Amino acid sequence: MGTSGAALVRPELTALGEWLDTTDAAELKRRQQSAEVTFRQLGITFAVYGDEDASERIIPFDIVPRVFLADEWARLSAGLVQRVEAINAFLDDIYGARRILKDGVLPEDLIFGNPQFRPEIAGMRPPHGIWAHICGIDLVRTGPDDFFVLEDNARTPSGVSYMLENREAMLRLCPELFRQFRVAAVDSYPDRLLQTMKSVAPQGTGSNPVCVVLTPGHFNSAYYEHSFLADSMGVELVEAADLVVDDDIVWMRTIAGRVKVDVIYRRIDDDYLDPLVFRPDSMLGVPGLIAAYAAGNVALLNAPGNGIADDKAIYSYMPEIVRYYTGAEAKLPNVQTFRCREPEALRYVLDHLDELVVKLVDGSGGYGMLVGPTASRDEIERFRAALIAEPHRYIAQPTLALSTVPTLVEQGLAPRHVDFRPFVLTGSKGIQVVPGGLTRVALREGSLVVNSSQGGGTKDSFVLLDNGPAHFQVQGGAA
Amino acid sequence: MRIAVDQTITVDFPGSLSSVTLALRVTPEDSHDQTVAGWRIGLDCDARLSTGRDGYGNVLTMLYADGPVDRIEIHVGGEIFTGPSSGILSAAHPEPLPPSLFLRQSSGQPEAPDLAALAIDAIEEADGDIDRLHLLNVALHRRADDSGPDVLAGMFVAAARRLSYPARCVSGYLARDGGATPHFWAEAYVADIGWIGFDPAIGLSAGEDHARVANAVDLNGVAAVVGGRVRP
């Protein structure tokens, strides 16, 4: 695992290889199908943009877990903590004193010309100065010790319900693995999230602040996750109509009268959060919510305005941002990125389109993307024209020799490319990395695109508490 | 100049609401260029007012009223004293956001396809930055047809940005016939000089008959009332 190309098993993971060898492929297939049936029953489905017929798809699940060894994980965690620390410091600075601009580390127009910088909330500071409470940092691996950050998600990263449901399925379907591998538990995530929420409650809300999850509603593709998280934290799942702001305080309407709300995990984008401040046509938002936030009477997770930290145009400056705020080199490097806004970079990109991945700065989820090595001549020419017309809207990156992990496909086990989204929680008592995450796998042979909307699947991610058993012991009845 | 403001804003809530939340930007502030006396906001209903600032530094008053309510009357008034002005905003004016923010293309701006052509034609003979902006202001005033001051201000802002000048929308009051009417104009930024007010509705720079209330990147951000349907 973690090797590129060939289906070699890393020596330290011999035991997992032995499990795969001793478990019948048909049995693995059966278990995988059983998991997918459960997911469909639970309603863990997603909608594909622009595909109205397929609004109820499940993301394919792969039964073969991806494994991180304890020491690998320790190094990775340290890098994630540093990255998220920098993201929070950056947001606090950019909406406040803007030292980083005064010191000339970032070009000013990159921030102020960027629609993700929200002037509406400039000068406001969230309770405890924490902006990015829940981050999902997308990583790729190119070698045993070579992890790169592909993308930071500091707004409303989704996918944590897959981490939890995939683990549930694995515990049920492959209990023998957990007898032999000491796998760190992830089921404490809802508790950790609730503790994080409570820790950032505004001053003066007492020891038991009221927390809620705010969802745009059941038509949202991540609604399952919203209801799942509210349910497992034991807090109310609310929609905008359930909340009202009065005298700069947020109240929840309940049958027993109104209840003051202190902390909101909102899964609504900034644009739709408060029609008095952002999009006036929003029906999903709560009028006055930003006034309550500005008055310091409610904590919003994540804080509004965070898009400026995970924007693709900012991404290429993350090594500088990490160095500026933490005083150290980034432990997790970026993927080399060509900023097409810079003429020299643009020239290089135009000359090497067939080797590069070109991304729209303000795009998401694999749309508006060119994967040079697999693109048709037409696609390449279309992107060339677009790049020449609006270079500032694009960045380009080399295609990486992404790691592959064994994956169950029609023909049996085969290597498939993966990425990884760990979740990092930041509260007033510090930063914690959840020992697990969402591994996304490109199920199509040779494909590097892991997005669920483009033929990607998921698998469980084992974080081992030690360096794993030397061998897999076949036990009677385990398979 | 003494500008006496006595304004009534009527806000309708079609369908009658169980509770109402409004954001008001109706309060001018003391600055180097103006002094405000006896400012008040009166209501025809029971409501709670809370005053703070928005991201641009404007005074923002939140109004919270219990329903059922289908209409609210807001009375705004007081006196504003202004001094002679060349339209240049005092450098002492607090600016929480830098000029370069006001170069961005905003969704709240009017899209007039011929605006770029108008801007380029207007400034053909211009001598220097201020002259260019003046000619643009005059050109917009001349073709004003029946566009209101808000639309014209939005057009000025869009055109000035296309010419690479930071520009923003401004709301306030215009002295007229011994009283004052709510008004909109624009400000453009010229390096080494600062923010200069231009009023395309009258074709002149914003002078001592202009009392300033709010500024923002677009017209949505300077609306006197957000959250209901303001009766014209």
Side-chain angles (χ1 to χ4, degrees), chain A residues 296-307:
Chain A
N297 291 334
V298 70
L300 299 175
L301 283 77
N302 288 345
N306 278 13

Side-chain angles (χ1 to χ4, degrees), chain A residues 7 27 31 44 69 75 105-106 123 128 149 155 199 212 244 264 278 300 321 326 332-333 410 420 441 449 451 467 473:
Chain A
E27 169 62 14
R31 294 186 196 179
I44 319 179
L69 303 180
R75 284 195 298 276
V105 177
L106 299 183
H128 307 274
V149 178
R155 282 172 258 188
S199 82
V212 300
V244 61
I264 301 175
F278 301 113
L300 299 175
I321 290 172
T326 70
L332 284 173
E410 282 302 319
F420 183 54
V441 51
V449 183
N451 297 80
N467 279 346
Q473 311 285 331

Side-chain angles (χ1 to χ4, degrees), chain B residues 16-36:
Chain B
S16 182
L17 298 178
S18 63
S19 69
V20 159
T21 306
L22 297 178
L24 312 178
R25 285 179 186 84
V26 292
T27 305
E29 276 198 290
D30 286 349
S31 71
H32 187 272
D33 305 298
Q34 65 190 30
T35 303
V36 182

